[in-house]
Amino acid sequence: MEQAVSAPMCTRVLADFGARVIKIENPVGGDFARSYDDVVLGQAAHFVWANRGKESLTLNLKSAAGMEVLHRLLDSADAFVSNLAPGATARLGLSPADLKVLHPQVIPLEIDGYGPGGPMSHKRAYDLLVQAESGSCAATGHAGMPAKPGAAVADITTGLYSALSIMALLLGRARHGDTGPAPSVAVSLFDTMTDILGYQLTFTQHSGVDQIPLGMSSPAVAPYGSFATRDGQTVVLGTTNDREWQRLARDIIDRPDLADDPRFATNSDRCAHRDELNAAIGTWCAQHDLAYIQRTADRAGIGNSRYNLPSEVIAHPHLRARDRWREVDTPNGKIEALLPPPVISDFEMGMGAVPGLGEHTDALLHELGYSADDIATMRTDGAIGPTYP
């Protein structure tokens, strides 16, 4: 019972690895991410990205018949994933405590904004709200101009932690032959973001300093940032240790004086004088084309990359050369989607179809033992959505 991004990302990952995922949707509109936009053959980009490989079942959970169907599904389920508003599963009689009694084999996993037991537990939470609350926006952008990271980092990472939790518990059950009630899992966006901001929080906790965000750079290391090239491109160059700094100064920008200067001897020293180093590197980059800079940096063993727009990443030769795109079916036609990151020998990720709203309702109900007359009655009574076209 999922919507938006965090829980759909959890179950999409499980589906890619081979799980059967049944997505319970409201007959009226379904997952509200379906209507965010219509840019993918009339479908929403968020939805097609996060919902492949699932079966869509429309259920009106305010009806007794709809709830009966859900409980029949839970009789044979391994896990029940939800990211509804705080308290919603309890009001439906589907809280972890309820499932422990009614469906003890099911792992209940609830995703919420702030986790239970705190003064903010009752609040609704979306990716931007949690990124602001957790300090993520303060670590992004520029001084006085905070920014949300472009990706929905809170939603996506919470979904990944959730999928990992389910996989770990199922593996433990299989290895140890556990037959008792399944443990429940709660994963909050706030806890996820404070975890992945571990460096920033640890630094401030022990220094008392709130680091100033530096746009396309890092307050942790220097020199490290983006620089304009002679041919109008942007190159990103970075050093992560003293040896790399020496190679960059001597072998790339030909500034042995900077390499020998005691003011730049350590990373902390270089961070304190980053403006002077950035100016020297920027001057050198402005005199050379991107291709030359990257060849030179590669020869010197210095990390570098090109700043790309999303439209350029779609056509990225590295993705094409490594065959990272796959066709995925949607109700409105085929689209191309990127394979999930893990490359596992002798295993191809599922990359199943994106479901239409209620597309699998009748088939699932037949599978659960409902007759055609039963289904017609449920449809008339509003317990399920209309017949899928």
Side-chain angles (χ1 to χ4, degrees):
M1 293 171 54
E2 58 179 22
Q3 52 199 5
V5 175
S6 58
M9 179 55 61
C10 166
T11 55
R12 194 210 80 179
V13 168
L14 296 174
D16 285 339
F17 276 107
R20 185 181 188 187
V21 177
I22 298 170
K23 184 179 179 77
I24 308 300
E25 299 194 70
N26 189 321
V28 182
D31 181 340
F32 55 68
R34 285 183 179 274
S35 58
Y36 277 172
D37 55 60
D38 60 1
V39 300
V40 186
L41 306 178
Q43 305 157 110
H46 271 97
F47 189 85
V48 299
W49 161 63
N51 287 281
R52 63 171 177 256
K54 305 178 186 181
E55 300 168 62
S56 173
L57 168 63
T58 53
L59 289 180
N60 176 3
L61 297 181
K62 294 182 179 179
S63 71
M67 287 300 296
E68 180 193 353
V69 171
L70 180 56
H71 282 290
R72 285 201 197 184
L73 285 171
L74 289 169
D75 283 339
S76 59
D78 291 303
F80 175 58
V81 178
S82 64
N83 67 330
L84 308 183
T89 55
R91 289 190 293 273
L92 289 167
L94 297 169
S95 70
D98 295 321
L99 295 183
K100 186 174 183 179
V101 175
L102 299 171
H103 307 283
Q105 90 289 351
V106 171
I107 298 167
L109 187 141
E110 292 197 345
I111 294 173
D112 65 9
Y114 295 100
M120 299 183 70
S121 299
H122 66 287
K123 293 176 70 69
R124 282 183 176 270
Y126 305 121
D127 185 88
L128 171 59
L129 306 180
V130 173
Q131 293 221 40
E133 192 74 39
S134 67
S136 173
C137 294
T140 311
H142 295 273
M145 294 185 291
K148 171 193 172 297
V153 179
D155 280 336
I156 295 166
T157 312
T158 300
L160 295 176
Y161 268 117
S162 299
L164 177 61
S165 299
I166 290 172
M167 289 181 171
L169 290 173
L170 290 175
L171 176 61
R173 175 187 292 174
R175 280 191 170 179
H176 304 300
D178 296 336
T179 57
S184 61
V185 184
V187 187
S188 78
L189 276 68
F190 185 71
D191 290 345
T192 296
M193 286 308 299
T194 52
D195 179 58
I196 68 172
L197 282 163
Y199 160 72
Q200 287 85 354
L201 296 181
T202 301
F203 183 95
T204 301
Q205 183 180 22
H206 293 278
S207 69
V209 174
D210 285 313
Q211 292 174 310
I212 297 172
L214 297 173
M216 283 185 61
S217 185
S218 168
V221 290
Y224 189 28
S226 61
F227 304 94
T229 68
R230 184 172 64 183
D231 55 344
Q233 304 289 320
T234 299
V235 67
V236 179
L237 293 172
T239 62
T240 59
N241 57 59
D242 296 341
R243 294 185 303 277
E244 289 184 355
W245 156 243
Q246 289 292 320
R247 295 200 301 273
L248 187 150
R250 297 179 190 279
D251 302 338
I252 297 182
I253 65 173
D254 193 25
R255 291 292 303 271
D257 58 313
L258 298 180
D260 293 334
D261 193 321
R263 293 179 301 156
F264 311 129
T266 70
N267 181 62
S268 294
D269 295 331
R270 293 190 293 276
C271 286
H273 299 91
R274 70 171 69 246
D275 289 345
E276 185 173 344
L277 298 181
N278 286 343
I281 298 169
T283 297
W284 181 83
C285 288
Q287 298 169 356
H288 302 285
D289 291 347
L290 174 70
Y292 174 81
I293 294 170
Q294 292 200 277
R295 285 197 307 272
T296 305
D298 286 342
R299 283 197 301 267
I302 297 299
N304 63 90
S305 67
R306 177 181 187 265
Y307 165 76
N308 286 313
L309 298 173
S311 55
E312 293 166 319
V313 177
I314 291 168
H316 204 296
H318 198 67
L319 294 174
R320 293 292 174 189
R322 296 170 59 241
D323 193 26
R324 296 294 297 164
W325 293 96
R326 292 291 184 276
E327 277 195 342
V328 170
D329 287 323
T330 81
N332 294 355
K334 293 183 182 297
I335 62 170
E336 276 201 322
L338 284 169
L339 280 166
V343 178
I344 303 172
S345 61
D346 302 319
F347 178 77
E348 178 80 3
M349 289 285 184
M351 303 289 285
V354 177
L357 178 59
E359 179 178 352
H360 305 90
T361 298
D362 288 44
L364 281 163
L365 292 175
H366 281 301
E367 185 179 332
L368 291 171
Y370 292 93
S371 68
D373 288 342
D374 294 333
I375 295 171
T377 299
M378 293 169 69
R379 187 157 278 131
T380 300
D381 293 342
I384 59 176
T387 302
Y388 188 73

